[in-house]
Amino acid sequence: MSDFRLKVFYSVAKNLSFTKASQELFVSQPAITKHIRELEGMYQTRLFNRLGNRISLTEAGQVMLEHCERILSEYRRLEYDMHLLHNEYTGQLRLGASTTIAQYILPAVLAKFTEKFPKIQISLIDTNSRNIEQALQEHVIDLGMVEGVFRSPVLKYEPFLCDELVPVVSCTNTDSEIPDELTLDELRAMPLVLRERGSGTLDAIEMVLAEQGLKLSSLNVRMHLGSTESIKSFLRYSRCMGIVSIFAVERELKEGLFRIVEVPELTFKRHFCFVSVQGQEAETSVIFSRFVRQCLQSR
């Protein structure tokens, strides 16, 4: 129902690209240009500076973007409320989830959610926690799911699941010299492979280490990798130890591929959290967060 020209402008403004907007909205690039020109003609002002192949928002474009975000949000709310009169849940839900949640928690939940609410269109960005928080503040997504290290005062965090990070080693590539328990001194010497900077997993590890007066730089970190799956694959061929979510290694532990190495002085507990912009929660986000809680309670 919303003016398609606003959607076109919003896509161009967020991507700073006519080509990307064309791909995102599945319309031709000349049509994108036509809609932007119509808006500029309507308001008698330029919305974009054009410098060769690059564009940027003018001052008028910035004002337009601020209003456009509010208008499109209200259109989504209108569609939701009108369909709700007929007990028909519909709308759009743009999710962002940190890698661990996206890979090990969400697949089963999303499958059930799409069966119950087939008319809610879902998109998912899978990246690390800091990128999720940035995407929320830039209004690229409606709801984030991150690995529980609270940062931004303009965002609201709501825990929904307790997680534990566990030190693990391969059962096939490590010998019996690695005990089932390590002291802090033994941990310092152990070669480690960990997640990358910006990941909630690494942030949680650093917080627990700090409680014991330790810095990450005091550990023998051999490598940082960009996903938990890559860490798991690396460990299968390595004598290193990884520290990952217990949800990520449930299958490997049951099958005897990995084993947990206890470090009694360190307990890597954390919460997975929903994160949203204060006061700007979409109705579809509320439905989804409630559904997730119900699903996880029945695990």
Side-chain angles (χ1 to χ4, degrees), residues 36-278:
I36 296 299
R37 285 178 177 167
E38 287 177 355
L39 284 174
E40 291 179 328
M42 180 185 300
Y43 294 108
Q44 295 296 298
T45 185
R46 294 177 61 185
L47 300 173
F48 295 96
N49 295 310
R50 297 164 175 84
L51 300 172
N53 293 326
R54 300 176 60 187
I55 64 172
S56 62
L57 284 167
T58 62
E59 183 179 354
Q62 289 285 359
V63 172
M64 172 73 82
L65 179 58
E66 292 173 8
H67 286 280
C68 191
E69 286 175 337
R70 290 195 293 269
I71 291 168
L72 292 177
S73 176
E74 285 301 315
Y75 270 127
R76 289 194 295 269
R77 184 169 298 179
L78 170 63
E79 290 179 3
Y80 173 85
D81 287 341
M82 293 305 293
H83 286 287
L84 198 60
L85 294 173
H86 306 287
N87 293 318
E88 185 180 70
Y89 293 91
T90 188
Q92 180 185 25
L93 176 59
R94 301 171 300 169
L95 289 174
S98 61
T99 307
T100 300
I101 297 171
Q103 290 184 334
Y104 307 110
I105 305 298
L106 275 183
V109 173
L110 285 175
K112 294 176 183 177
F113 184 82
T114 54
E115 285 184 7
K116 186 169 184 179
F117 303 103
K119 293 189 177 181
I120 295 180
Q121 297 179 346
I122 298 179
S123 61
L124 173 64
I125 296 173
D126 172 0
T127 184
N128 68 40
S129 294
R130 292 183 191 176
N131 291 339
I132 294 300
E133 291 165 334
Q134 182 177 350
L136 271 171
Q137 294 179 72
E138 294 176 353
H139 304 285
V140 174
I141 59 175
D142 304 307
L143 180 68
M145 303 173 76
V146 299
E147 297 165 17
V149 179
F150 304 160
R151 297 186 191 88
S152 174
V154 301
L155 299 177
K156 182 172 77 171
Y157 298 81
E158 296 180 286
F160 68 87
L161 182 65
C162 184
D163 182 36
E164 181 180 3
L165 299 174
V166 290
V168 293
V169 295
S170 167
C171 291
T172 55
N173 289 293
T174 55
D175 51 39
S176 59
E177 292 179 3
I178 299 179
D180 292 333
E181 286 190 5
L182 295 178
T183 65
L184 286 181
D185 286 337
E186 290 170 331
L187 175 66
R188 288 191 187 96
M190 177 66 62
L192 297 173
V193 54
L194 303 176
R195 284 290 304 277
E196 82 286 3
R197 290 284 178 188
S199 68
T201 297
L202 190 64
D203 287 345
I205 291 171
E206 287 190 286
M207 287 184 63
V208 173
L209 291 173
E211 292 171 1
Q212 295 292 330
L214 296 175
K215 293 184 178 180
L216 190 64
S217 58
S218 68
L219 303 184
N220 181 18
V221 181
R222 294 286 180 86
M223 189 180 301
H224 290 276
L225 293 175
S227 73
T228 301
E229 280 300 303
S230 59
I231 290 176
K232 288 164 56 178
S233 295
F234 181 86
L235 290 178
R236 293 189 185 103
Y237 305 98
S238 168
R239 294 177 181 273
C240 290
M241 183 170 76
I243 303 177
V244 298
S245 168
I246 187 69
F247 293 107
V249 289
E250 286 179 325
R251 180 175 62 84
E252 287 81 4
L253 293 173
K254 288 178 182 177
E255 294 177 357
L257 299 174
F258 292 165
R259 64 183 173 92
I260 294 175
V261 178
E262 301 286 349
V263 185
E265 294 173 82
L266 298 176
T267 302
F268 298 100
K269 296 278 190 180
R270 63 175 177 179
H271 281 91
F272 294 144
C273 295
F274 292 117
V275 56
S276 57
V277 178
Q278 295 277 10

